[in-house]
Each structure stands twice: as structure tokens, then as C-alpha cells.
Amino acid sequence: QSVLTQPPSVSGAPGQRVTISCTGSSSNIGPTHDVHWYQQLPGTAPKLLIYGNNNRPSGVPDRFSGSKSGTSGSLAITGLQAEDEADYYCQSYDTSLGWVFGGGTKLTVL
Amino acid sequence: EEQLVESGGDLVQPGGSLRLSCEASGFKFSTYAMSWVRQVPGKGLEWVSTITRSGDKTYYANSVNGRFTISRDNSKSTLSLQMNSLRAEDTAVYYCANSPGWLPIGWFFDVWGRGTPVTVSS
């Protein structure tokens, strides 16, 4: 059971908007602990998607955005494309456990 | 191009030892904290260990503390993970990744390698 809670799966049709939530606690996601997001395409290594709650690394399309509120983070994907079908993980720092990940969310593009 | 290449994964018996390596290129290795993250096939990501830029501080997940040792050689741009007393539950793909920034609480995993598989089985 992961310290950060994500929905196991989400789905959407091409062109639609989907969001993935990441729920933590006061010992991890909070005022001083950021949320980061990773995309893992089938058979590949994870790739940094969002860092520092809402920052996109160079090369990541602006269809991907992140936010944080209280002890939860959220990843939004607009204009859904077939190539977005992947597993998505959130990550933060926990004061007791160190660096922690969510259990992952499988995105299916219908 | 920033690149990380892991090696050393193998099939090992329970109780055995293994040493993983990660070679970095395309970035200034000594200016990044470095970490190992593992993933059981079909399962989620699990942070394993992190070492600071200079190597003066190391951090371990509870599941590996006392069995695994992380180290780095900045002169060779290499990261290592010595794994002792291996258990079946250590079976996973092991990724190395770098983390920019000064503060541990803000570290995320920027560049990732392709991973090296470790199987612990008799």
C-alpha cells in the first residue's frame, strides 16, 4: 500500500481532458513538500513529466499540467492523444520515509 | 545528451550479494544527488537509496537499510549499489536517476537510466 494514493486507472477519449489525483498527508505533500509526476510508457523507463508541483521540463507538451492544494496533487492532461496511454506516478518527500511514490495510475485512451 | 546506463543485474540466490553500477555522461555528475529506484515487473516504483553530491550523506528505504550500500565516484562519474543478504522481494528492475537542487526535500528524479534487472531466486 503506497503512502501516496492514486486512482488505479482513468480513461478518456481522444481530445478530452483527464485528471489524476495524488492524495498524501501532512508528513509528505504539504506546504514545504512538492509533488512531482512521471510518465512511464509501456516497456520503458519512467520519464519526468512535472516537477515542483507545476513545472514542465523542456520538451514536455503544455497539454500536461500539475497543481497542488493542501496535501493533494493533481495532474491534468488536455487534448488527450493515443500516445499518452501510459502509467503515471506521483512522487513527494515524506519526513519519515524519505522519497515516496504513488501506486501509479494507468491511463487508457479509448 | 544526458545519459545514465546501469549494469550488473543478474540472477542471484537468496542470501547472496550483487553490485550494481550506473555510468553517467552528458552532465556534470558531481553536481547532482543520485538515487536508485526499483520496480517489480508489473508493479509500481519504489525509492531505494539516495546519495548527496559529495557522497557525505546517504539515505535508505527501510526495506533495504542495513543490507544495501550506495556509493559514488565523482572522478569516474559512476554510482554503485552494493546489495547484500538479498531476498526474493528484492527482485525488480533497478533504475538509477539524478536529482538537481540543494535540498533533499525538494529532490525529484530527473534523468533515468533504462534499468538493470535483478532476480533473487534459488
Side-chain angles (χ1 to χ4, degrees):
Chain A
Q1 196 165 357
S2 303
V3 173
L4 305 180
T5 301
Q6 298 180 233
S9 63
V10 297
S11 63
Q16 284 189 333
R17 178 181 187 269
V18 298
T19 62
I20 299 173
S21 61
C22 176
T23 303
S25 67
S26 58
S27 65
N28 39 71
I29 300 174
T32 56
H33 296 177
D34 292 338
V35 180
H36 320 288
W37 292 90
Y38 304 86
Q39 178 193 59
Q40 187 174 32
L41 297 170
T44 70
K47 168 192 168 185
L48 179 65
L49 198 63
I50 298 287
Y51 66 94
N53 304 318
N54 55 15
N55 300 288
R56 280 178 285 106
S58 173
V60 174
D62 59 6
R63 301 186 296 104
F64 296 90
S65 63
S67 63
K68 186 183 85 169
S69 178
T71 57
S72 293
S74 183
L75 173 70
I77 309 172
T78 59
L80 205 57
Q81 299 180 4
E83 65 203 52
D84 299 332
E85 191 159 287
D87 294 324
Y88 293 84
Y89 295 90
C90 62
Q91 176 251 314
S92 186
Y93 179 81
D94 187 279
T95 53
S96 298
L97 301 173
W99 294 268
V100 292
F101 289 93
T105 298
K106 181 176 182 60
L107 169 62
T108 300
V109 180
L110 301 171
Chain B
E1 179 192 4
E2 300 173 328
Q3 193 171 10
L4 294 168
V5 179
E6 303 92 338
S7 61
D10 205 347
L11 169 63
V12 61
Q13 292 188 341
S17 298
L18 203 59
R19 187 176 183 87
L20 305 183
S21 296
C22 171
E23 290 192 25
S25 61
F27 65 95
K28 193 169 183 180
F29 182 74
S30 62
T31 64
Y32 289 80
M34 295 296 299
S35 299
W36 290 96
V37 176
R38 68 185 181 184
Q39 184 174 34
V40 175
K43 302 297 184 182
L45 301 171
E46 180 189 17
W47 167 73
V48 173
S49 182
T50 295
I51 188 168
T52 54
R53 301 175 179 203
S54 64
D56 62 334
K57 291 184 180 179
T58 57
Y59 307 86
Y60 298 95
N62 291 337
S63 58
V64 305
N65 195 27
R67 300 187 299 122
F68 290 11
T69 302
I70 191 171
S71 61
R72 66 188 296 162
D73 185 337
N74 286 344
S75 68
K76 296 181 179 179
S77 297
T78 59
L79 175 73
S80 297
L81 185 68
Q82 177 66 42
M83 304 187 295
N84 298 330
S85 302
L86 282 162
R87 306 166 180 168
E89 54 264 36
D90 295 318
T91 295
V93 174
Y94 285 71
Y95 298 100
C96 66
N98 69 3
S99 299
W102 288 99
L103 297 176
I105 64 170
W107 285 340
F108 54 89
F109 308 108
D110 190 3
V111 177
W112 295 65
R114 292 186 176 183
T116 187
V118 173
T119 302
V120 183
S121 175
S122 54

